Amino acid sequence: MRFDILTIFPEYFNSFIKSSLIEKAIKKGLIEINIYDLRNWSINKHGQVDDKIFGGGPGMLLRIEPIYMALKEILGVQEYDGKGKLNKDPKTKVVLFSASGEVLKQKKVIDFSSYNRIVMICGRYEGVDFRVKEHLIDEEISIGEYVLFGGEAPAMVLIEGVSRYVDGVLGNEESLKEESFVEEGYVEYPQYTRPSKFVISDDVSWDVPDVLISGDHKKIEDFKK
């Protein structure tokens, strides 16, 4: 699985790609993460990639030209298909993160995991020129009904969610079978570990439910359900 990130803050991801299971998956060759600085395709020598909004309004928008040029180079395409989209491998998905996008849920994460490559555009400021949404992307995604500085945090969320479904990334593949949200409305049961009795004071303790340490597998399964 290859992830390509288009951002004006590439340093945002420095610690992310060197952490935990993500770093291990990269070293094993299970996933690949490439980070591209949008300013490499700026419209002038000053590194400009944004501009004022037509019709007025606060803030700035990312311009279409640097995003268009960056995608053409990253994807290795030179022309459009007949539907106004850039020609590319059908197993490649181009995603824009924005507040108006479809809210990311587990079923969508699983769907993304069926692709070989995900190219992510991280918006900033007031977002991107609307023509990016009209002509250059496949999906527009939000990670929740709230506003962030940009699309970098959502990109990390998507990478973590999808990477868990790449063979070999998780130490225990059984973890995927009973996890939350795979089925609509399903959230995992309460889980505990040692000690079974956590003593707070002489007359107060927080205990693991008796059924979980009873050894009765039928009752334990009923508890989980």
Side-chain angles (χ1 to χ4, degrees), residues 13-83:
F13 299 92
N14 288 346
S15 61
F16 174 71
I17 62 177
K18 297 177 181 177
S19 303
S20 186
L21 292 175
I22 293 295
E23 181 184 34
K24 291 179 180 178
I26 292 172
K27 288 182 175 179
K28 290 179 180 178
L30 302 175
I31 67 172
E32 177 183 344
I33 300 177
N34 302 295
I35 302 165
Y36 300 92
D37 188 343
L38 183 62
R39 296 189 191 280
N40 291 335
W41 294 272
S42 62
I43 63 170
N44 55 38
K45 64 181 181 180
H46 304 295
Q48 184 182 356
V49 294
D50 61 341
D51 217 325
K52 296 177 182 177
I53 302 171
F54 280 130
M60 306 284 276
L61 284 180
L62 292 179
R63 293 174 61 132
I64 188 171
E65 305 102 318
I67 296 175
Y68 171 74
M69 291 186 291
L71 287 177
K72 282 185 70 176
E73 187 170 331
I74 291 169
L75 294 170
V77 298
Q78 298 299 322
E79 58 186 16
Y80 286 101
D81 62 16
K83 300 177 182 178

Side-chain angles (χ1 to χ4, degrees), residues 105-107 110 179-188:
K105 295 186 177 181
Q106 193 69 13
K107 286 186 177 180
I110 296 171
E179 63 182 3
S180 301
F181 310 122
V182 173
E183 296 180 17
E184 190 70 30
Y186 173 78
V187 180
E188 280 190 278

Side-chain angles (χ1 to χ4, degrees), residues 99-134:
S100 61
E102 176 186 352
V103 176
L104 184 65
K105 295 186 177 181
Q106 193 69 13
K107 286 186 177 180
K108 176 60 69 174
V109 169
I110 296 171
D111 175 63
F112 277 135
S113 72
S114 68
Y115 287 82
N116 296 330
R117 184 181 184 188
I118 302 174
V119 181
M120 294 167 279
I121 303 170
C122 300
R124 274 277 162 170
Y125 314 125
E126 291 299 306
V128 303
D129 185 300
F130 192 77
R131 288 168 290 186
V132 172
K133 302 180 184 183
E134 289 181 303

Side-chain angles (χ1 to χ4, degrees), residues 50-221:
D50 61 341
D51 217 325
K52 296 177 182 177
I53 302 171
F54 280 130
M60 306 284 276
L61 284 180
L62 292 179
R63 293 174 61 132
I64 188 171
E65 305 102 318
I67 296 175
Y68 171 74
M69 291 186 291
L71 287 177
K72 282 185 70 176
E73 187 170 331
I74 291 169
L75 294 170
V77 298
Q78 298 299 322
E79 58 186 16
Y80 286 101
D81 62 16
K83 300 177 182 178
K85 297 289 186 180
L86 284 169
N87 275 324
K88 58 180 175 58
D89 189 313
K91 295 295 285 184
T92 294
K93 181 78 79 172
V94 179
V95 176
L96 171 70
F97 298 107
S98 80
S100 61
E102 176 186 352
V103 176
L104 184 65
K105 295 186 177 181
Q106 193 69 13
K107 286 186 177 180
K108 176 60 69 174
V109 169
I110 296 171
D111 175 63
F112 277 135
S113 72
S114 68
Y115 287 82
N116 296 330
R117 184 181 184 188
I118 302 174
V119 181
M120 294 167 279
I121 303 170
C122 300
R124 274 277 162 170
Y125 314 125
E126 291 299 306
V128 303
D129 185 300
F130 192 77
R131 288 168 290 186
V132 172
K133 302 180 184 183
E134 289 181 303
H135 302 293
L136 299 180
I137 67 168
D138 299 308
E139 300 238 13
E140 191 178 354
I141 293 294
S142 165
I143 61 167
E145 295 182 351
Y146 44 84
V147 180
L148 302 172
F149 289 130
E152 286 76 16
M156 290 189 284
V157 167
L158 186 60
I159 289 172
E160 281 211 8
V162 172
S163 293
R164 299 179 74 254
Y165 286 90
V166 175
D167 288 344
V169 171
L170 289 183
N172 184 357
E173 300 295 336
E174 293 293 314
S175 301
L176 296 173
K177 294 183 178 180
E178 290 187 346
E179 63 182 3
S180 301
F181 310 122
V182 173
E183 296 180 17
E184 190 70 30
Y186 173 78
V187 180
E188 280 190 278
Y189 48 86
Q191 296 170 311
Y192 303 83
T193 187
R194 295 172 179 165
S196 59
K197 181 183 290 290
F198 180 51
V199 178
I200 304 302
S201 63
D202 290 342
D203 55 352
V204 176
S205 67
W206 299 338
D207 302 341
V208 172
D210 290 338
V211 63
L212 293 179
I213 53 178
S214 67
D216 189 322
H217 298 296
K218 175 66 169 60
K219 289 183 178 179
I220 291 172
E221 284 305 312

